[in-house]
Amino acid sequence: MSNSIKAGFIQFQPILGEQETNINKLSILLEQANDADLIVIPELANSGYNFESKEQAFALSEKIDNSQFVDFLINEAAKHNLYIVSGINEREDDKLYNSSVLVGPEGLIGKYRKIHLFMNEFDFFEKGNLGLPVFDIGICKIGMLICFDWIFPEVWRILALKGTDIICHPSNLVLPYAQQAVPVHGLINRTFNITANRYGIERGFTFSGKSIISDPYGKTLVTASPDKDEVSFVNFKLDEARNKNITPRNHAFNDRFPSEYKELLR
Ligand code: ACM
């Protein structure tokens, strides 16, 4: 596998119920991503976040295989020759999922459905039912988490144990301290992490911006502003995520004792 990838985020403010506006804004911001390999876009970027009702959440959802938003992302991935991870309000039959998709120039590669729902999301979405998939895009392995998943160290660990180099984390973060956890998960699991957050106020929720990129040593490489559109990239040396040695005699994964962790399964 190649050692280097240019990866980053788009931070913006999706407008509730205005998919066309959101697509137009992303299309403008994606022009700044022309020489990147991978870009992460916030949670529920097609629809906005804090729906008035389940009816509104349904009206603003799309089936992944028949989605103007996913088609837009695939066209942009082909145009700019990059991979895109984006949050999407996904409908399947009579159920909604707070999902993210991974697309590339070749089309849809995979999706993840958010496991840990936050506040009003319980009124609209089902818990994710696809586990924690990891996708090999040739250059590297990509895993996805969504927003409130940030507070559960288990899911970051599992993605890392499955060989993920870069954890892409589309977000609509509300709690003001959430960003602090992202580099720590990276430090503990030796992964690159990209949180693409939104900003702005929507029906009583204030979103915190400050999208963040961190490296496998827990170093914050980029923090965005709290309240502006921003597109930012960093070159990752992927070997850094593949070396799990902590000292010559310690290894982040091999030194674990799962037999001592049985309480985690309760
Ligand atoms: C969140 O999970 N959107 C806070």
Side-chain angles (χ1 to χ4, degrees):
M1 272 195 275
S2 157
N3 184 37
S4 185
I5 183 169
K6 189 167 180 181
F9 59 77
I10 288 179
Q11 172 171 295
F12 83 122
Q13 175 177 210
I15 306 298
L16 184 66
E18 295 189 21
Q19 173 157 294
E20 204 78 36
T21 311
N22 297 332
I23 285 177
N24 289 338
K25 171 58 95 169
L26 284 171
S27 155
I28 292 166
L29 293 170
L30 276 159
E31 291 298 324
Q32 297 176 46
N34 222 0
D35 63 342
D37 303 304
L38 169 68
I39 183 111
V40 186
I41 293 173
E43 179 182 12
L44 296 175
N46 62 331
S47 60
Y49 181 78
N50 195 18
F51 311 110
E52 276 174 26
S53 61
K54 193 146 188 174
E55 289 67 36
Q56 187 187 36
F58 262 92
L60 300 178
S61 66
E62 288 193 315
K63 290 169 71 176
I64 301 279
D65 60 1
N66 182 21
S67 161
Q68 183 200 16
F69 187 67
V70 174
D71 289 349
F72 158 73
L73 294 176
I74 292 170
N75 283 338
E76 291 291 313
K79 179 171 155 197
H80 297 293
N81 193 30
L82 48 60
Y83 292 90
I84 302 175
V85 170
S86 176
I88 179 168
N89 177 4
E90 181 197 0
R91 182 174 71 251
E92 186 185 66
D93 303 324
D94 60 347
K95 294 186 166 53
L96 298 184
Y97 296 93
N98 184 340
S99 298
S100 61
V101 287
L102 168 63
V103 307
E106 64 270 46
L108 176 70
I109 296 168
K111 67 182 177 186
Y112 163 69
R113 289 173 170 164
K114 185 177 185 179
I115 292 176
H116 303 101
L117 301 178
F118 183 74
M119 290 188 63
N120 300 356
E121 291 174 41
F122 289 106
D123 301 334
F124 313 127
F125 297 113
E126 307 297 315
K127 170 191 161 286
N129 58 0
L130 298 177
L132 294 157
V134 174
F135 300 97
D136 189 342
I137 59 166
I139 325 166
C140 69
K141 290 187 179 166
I142 289 180
M144 296 179 271
L145 295 175
I146 300 176
C147 205
F148 191 52
D149 286 328
W150 71 264
I151 207 166
F152 299 93
E154 294 86 350
V155 290
W156 300 79
R157 177 68 104 194
I158 287 167
L159 287 178
L161 286 170
K162 287 172 134 179
T164 305
D165 300 302
I166 305 175
I167 298 181
C168 299
H169 181 219
S171 292
N172 284 187
L173 291 167
V174 173
L175 300 174
Y177 43 80
Q179 284 86 342
Q180 293 174 47
V182 173
V184 179
H185 291 306
L187 166 65
I188 290 169
N189 294 305
R190 289 282 176 92
T191 56
F192 289 98
N193 297 338
I194 304 172
T195 297
N197 198 20
R198 67 162 290 174
Y199 67 90
I201 299 173
E202 196 184 82
R203 292 184 10 88
F205 277 113
T206 301
F207 303 99
S208 57
K210 298 185 191 166
S211 295
I212 182 168
I213 305 176
S214 65
D215 78 3
Y217 304 103
K219 187 165 169 216
T220 296
L221 304 175
V222 175
T223 308
S225 73
D227 55 4
K228 288 189 180 53
D229 290 346
E230 218 159 306
V231 183
S232 202
F233 299 100
V234 177
N235 278 308
F236 295 161
K237 289 194 175 60
L238 292 163
D239 284 349
E240 292 177 2
R242 294 171 187 159
N243 176 9
K244 307 294 184 186
N245 292 310
I246 298 166
T247 74
R249 298 186 62 181
N250 294 96
H251 189 275
F253 294 169
N254 299 345
D255 285 12
R256 293 173 311 118
F257 289 102
S259 60
E260 301 288 348
Y261 312 149
K262 291 199 183 81
E263 284 80 359
L264 283 176
L265 296 177
R266 278 201 310 217

